[in-house]
Amino acid sequence: MAADSSRSRLFPWLLVGPAMLVMALVVFYPFVYNVGIAFSDMSLRTFRNPGFAGFRHFIEIFTTSPLYTILGKTVIWTVVNVTFHVAIGLSLALLLNGPVKGRNIYRALLILPWAMPQYIVALTWKGMFNYQYGAVNLILGRLGVPPVSWLSDATAAFASAIIANIWLGFPFMMVICLGGLQSIPKEMYEAADIDGAPAWTKFRRITLPLLKPVLVPAIVLGIVWTFNSLNVLWLITEGGRPANQSHILVTWIYNEAFTLYRYGYAAAFSIIIFLILLGFSILFVRQTRGTEAAY
């Protein structure tokens, strides 16, 4: 009996053991190693024998670096992208959840941006934003609008990256919302129709509450992914051009680590980003009660 009980207690650990080992190798160890680098003066010159730097990098980040300016741009980048991702994704999901002819074809076509590699999307949009030959300026010219210097003006370059990232990210929200909508019982809408509830009331009283357990985690994931999104902005603006004015936090860190080779400074900056996102995620889930049942 004792042997059987010990085996039953050991069996769950044998099941989760391989996953925990992989997590330790690919998540926990790199995180601990990154923390160690953050408190060292590791750079290209001191790569083999880095010294202890203490809190020097953190003090530099909060006192002399453009942290607050870049953080403001990062917040704008994240809020605008995620807002359009949710709005477009939820709108398309509501349309595709209804009686639309060729619904499966539309689903396949609308999911293509998400299925394409990000660097292909970024380079394609960069070509479309070309001042002289790009499709965007050619369309604007047909509409009587003068061409825009998308890639040479700081504000326009930042906006062009946002447009490309919106196109790239809305299919994820559409798929999540569509799955949540299909799980809502149709009887609830039928009862609302019997009571004479208008469409907006059904959306506010039935659809949104029942989508919340699905939508809130998706929004949190979207915020974290967008906050840390590097490829689109880096490739379209060619590393923060013009004059490093279109950086967000993650592109700034990438530039510090792999262009200026300030590994300790970049690692300290990455810890600050981690703490910002961790605090926001906990606060957002608590405020929205996203882990609670709808009813």
Side-chain angles (χ1 to χ4, degrees):
M1 295 294 293
D4 292 339
S5 62
S6 63
R7 288 178 181 177
S8 62
R9 289 195 299 267
L10 183 61
F11 185 68
W13 291 103
L14 292 176
L15 293 178
V16 301
M20 294 179 64
L21 179 62
V22 172
M23 289 287 290
L25 292 176
V26 303
V27 176
F28 297 116
Y29 172 73
F31 178 79
V32 173
Y33 183 69
N34 183 77
V35 172
I37 295 176
F39 290 94
S40 72
D41 63 349
M42 181 181 288
S43 64
L44 188 63
R45 293 180 300 173
T46 62
F47 186 80
R48 292 185 178 275
N49 298 299
F52 181 70
F55 289 92
R56 187 183 70 199
H57 297 311
F58 295 93
I59 295 173
E60 181 182 351
I61 289 169
F62 285 104
T63 55
T64 61
S65 74
L67 168 65
Y68 306 103
T69 301
I70 300 177
L71 178 60
K73 292 181 180 179
T74 307
V75 171
I76 295 172
W77 162 267
T78 305
V79 170
V80 173
N81 272 294
V82 175
T83 300
F84 277 96
H85 288 168
V86 175
I88 297 173
L90 181 56
S91 300
L92 291 173
L94 290 170
L95 290 173
L96 293 176
N97 194 48
V100 179
K101 292 183 178 180
R103 182 168 53 183
N104 293 332
I105 298 176
Y106 290 129
R107 287 178 182 176
L109 291 175
L110 290 171
I111 208 173
L112 282 178
W114 190 34
M116 294 177 64
Q118 284 192 359
Y119 64 91
I120 299 248
V121 172
L123 293 177
T124 301
W125 276 96
K126 183 180 178 181
M128 291 172 63
F129 284 119
N130 182 275
Y131 180 81
Q132 188 172 1
Y133 303 108
V136 176
N137 276 346
L138 291 177
I139 294 173
L140 292 178
R142 293 291 182 89
L143 298 175
V145 179
V148 179
S149 302
W150 291 103
L151 303 178
S152 58
D153 179 76
T155 303
F158 194 68
S160 65
I162 289 177
I163 293 171
N165 201 66
I166 289 172
W167 186 84
L168 184 68
F170 78 83
F172 170 75
M173 289 295 175
M174 183 191 71
V175 171
I176 296 296
C177 292
L178 191 57
L181 289 172
Q182 291 178 347
S183 67
I184 299 176
K186 295 182 179 179
E187 291 79 6
M188 302 190 71
Y189 293 106
E190 294 173 356
D193 290 333
I194 293 174
D195 293 336
W200 171 248
T201 301
K202 289 189 289 185
F203 177 76
R204 187 166 57 92
R205 296 290 186 178
I206 300 175
T207 305
L208 279 183
L210 292 178
L211 271 182
K212 187 176 72 171
V214 175
L215 196 56
V216 169
I219 292 175
V220 172
L221 281 175
I223 289 172
V224 172
W225 289 342
T226 306
F227 200 95
N228 288 322
S229 179
L230 169 72
N231 295 341
V232 174
L233 187 61
W234 184 269
L235 291 172
I236 289 180
T237 65
E238 297 182 1
R241 295 180 182 177
N244 286 330
Q245 296 182 48
S246 55
H247 275 296
I248 59 174
L249 287 176
V250 67
T251 59
W252 178 265
I253 293 174
Y254 186 87
N255 183 67
E256 292 291 324
F258 300 105
T259 302
L260 303 179
Y261 305 107
R262 301 180 64 191
Y263 302 121
Y265 178 84
F269 227 131
S270 68
I271 291 177
I272 294 173
I273 290 181
F274 168 76
L275 294 175
I276 291 173
L277 291 175
L278 178 64
F280 170 79
S281 300
I282 294 173
L283 181 63
F284 184 80
V285 172
R286 285 182 178 178
Q287 291 295 323
T288 56
R289 299 178 180 178
T291 57
E292 299 179 4
Y295 292 105

